[in-house]
Amino acid sequence: MQPEQKFRAAADAIAAADALVIGAGAGMGVDSGLPDFRGPEGFWRAYPPFRALGLNFTDLANPHWFEADPALAWGFYGHRLKLYRETVPHKGFTLLKQFGEACRDGAFVFTSNVDGQFSKAGFEAPQITECHGAIGHLQCSVPCRNAIWEAPAEAVNIDPDSFRASGELPLCPYCGAIARPNILMFGDGNWISDRSDRQSANFNRWLQRRDPDWRLVKIEIGAGSDVPSVRWQLQQLPGQLIRINPREWQTGPGDIGIAGGALKILNRVAEQLR
């Protein structure tokens, strides 16, 4: 199938859908200017000081740093929190929202991203499952209890050369220990999943609304096999799949795989819908 035919087929599937599930991975945010952490080189381009330390994304995205070196941990996560707060979601988020609003039963977002971009783009909280948590919410690093709270508006002070935090760091309001983002990290036995569990329950209730003839379309964007949470979840659901990915775009028979970035492809599909 030629690219123009794929855009038309994707538009036809969306137009005929009763509901959409939008599955988004890290590739969804690249067109907003967010860094691509794919591979060590991609990570080190965004965080050069960590190359000298020999630390890659997997090394740093580990909860043990909040005990071993809180200034290092909050230098990394504090910078990301500030970056995500300042980032404006690209137009593709608005297009997805419009696609869902045109469906009888709306849309639901299932994302492994922790950046909160779907909320910033106007998707309502009951429409979103953040399966790995959200950087804008904190928890105790111990943890002393199953409490989750919003991160303070004040940014953590970070040295731009070393990416280390200085001054006061976020603390648990209950026990005074160092706080950490409420996101699932590598080797993480202390993540409090209560907030994500509630979101997952909302998702399951929404799915149970379907009738036998429910036409569900799944749009997977920027979610690959390196972090397979989104891809695996969408594979468990019925319905036609539209996969948008610059590298891993291939699909099985009956589905639509389109090679390219999120914004460009969503614009082309939207043109066909108009």
Side-chain angles (χ1 to χ4, degrees):
M1 190 183 297
Q2 296 300 309
E4 288 297 329
Q5 294 174 302
K6 290 185 177 183
F7 301 143
R8 179 73 257 168
D12 288 344
I14 292 169
D18 293 319
L20 302 178
V21 170
I22 300 163
M28 182 66 188
V30 171
D31 292 310
S32 298
L34 295 177
D36 183 358
F37 292 157
R38 184 175 180 266
E41 290 300 325
F43 176 70
W44 287 330
R45 278 195 296 272
Y47 294 96
F50 297 134
R51 180 194 291 270
L53 297 174
L55 298 173
N56 59 31
F57 177 75
T58 304
D59 297 327
L60 279 161
N62 190 302
H64 91 274
W65 292 113
F66 289 93
E67 178 181 357
D69 193 343
L72 176 71
W74 267 111
F76 177 51
Y77 280 104
H79 179 269
R80 290 178 65 194
L81 175 58
K82 182 175 184 293
L83 174 65
Y84 295 156
R85 281 176 166 172
E86 293 176 349
T87 297
V88 177
H90 62 75
K91 183 187 173 185
F93 287 89
T94 300
L95 293 176
L96 288 170
K97 187 170 181 290
Q98 291 171 351
F99 295 169
E101 289 170 347
C103 293
R104 184 192 70 190
D105 294 326
F108 208 106
V109 173
F110 185 94
T111 181
S112 58
N113 298 337
V114 301
D115 52 30
Q117 294 293 290
F118 280 97
S119 295
K120 289 182 71 173
F123 285 83
E124 299 293 333
Q127 295 175 275
I128 303 170
T129 290
E130 296 158 308
C131 65
H132 292 171
I135 201 169
H137 289 77
L138 304 183
Q139 66 167 79
C140 178
S141 61
V142 176
C144 66
R145 64 191 69 197
N146 284 359
I148 300 170
W149 61 93
E150 289 191 14
E154 299 80 13
V156 176
N157 292 321
I158 299 167
D159 184 296
D161 296 319
S162 67
F163 279 97
R164 291 183 65 85
S166 62
E168 294 184 4
L169 301 179
L171 301 177
C172 173
Y174 302 100
C175 72
I178 291 290
R180 51 161 279 189
N182 178 236
I183 63 179
L184 178 63
M185 304 178 194
F186 293 97
D188 197 346
N190 289 331
W191 180 50
I192 299 171
S193 65
D194 294 13
R195 180 173 175 273
S196 293
D197 291 343
R198 289 192 294 270
Q199 292 177 329
S200 295
N202 287 340
F203 185 32
N204 289 329
R205 282 192 292 270
W206 181 79
L207 289 171
Q208 290 167 4
R209 293 167 51 184
R210 66 180 185 264
D211 57 52
D213 299 321
W214 208 44
R215 291 170 296 184
L216 180 67
V217 170
K218 304 170 290 184
I219 306 177
E220 179 196 291
I221 308 174
S225 56
D226 287 346
V227 181
S229 308
V230 171
R231 186 161 287 194
W232 182 87
Q233 176 62 61
L234 266 61
Q235 287 173 346
Q236 311 310 306
L237 301 176
Q240 188 170 25
L241 172 68
I242 300 168
R243 174 171 289 155
I244 300 170
N245 195 300
R247 290 174 289 267
E248 298 181 70
W249 54 269
Q250 297 84 355
T251 63
D255 292 327
I256 303 165
I258 308 176
L263 180 57
K264 177 182 176 181
I265 303 304
L266 290 171
N267 270 322
R268 297 300 299 273
V269 172
E271 289 170 4
Q272 294 292 329
L273 276 166
R274 286 193 290 268

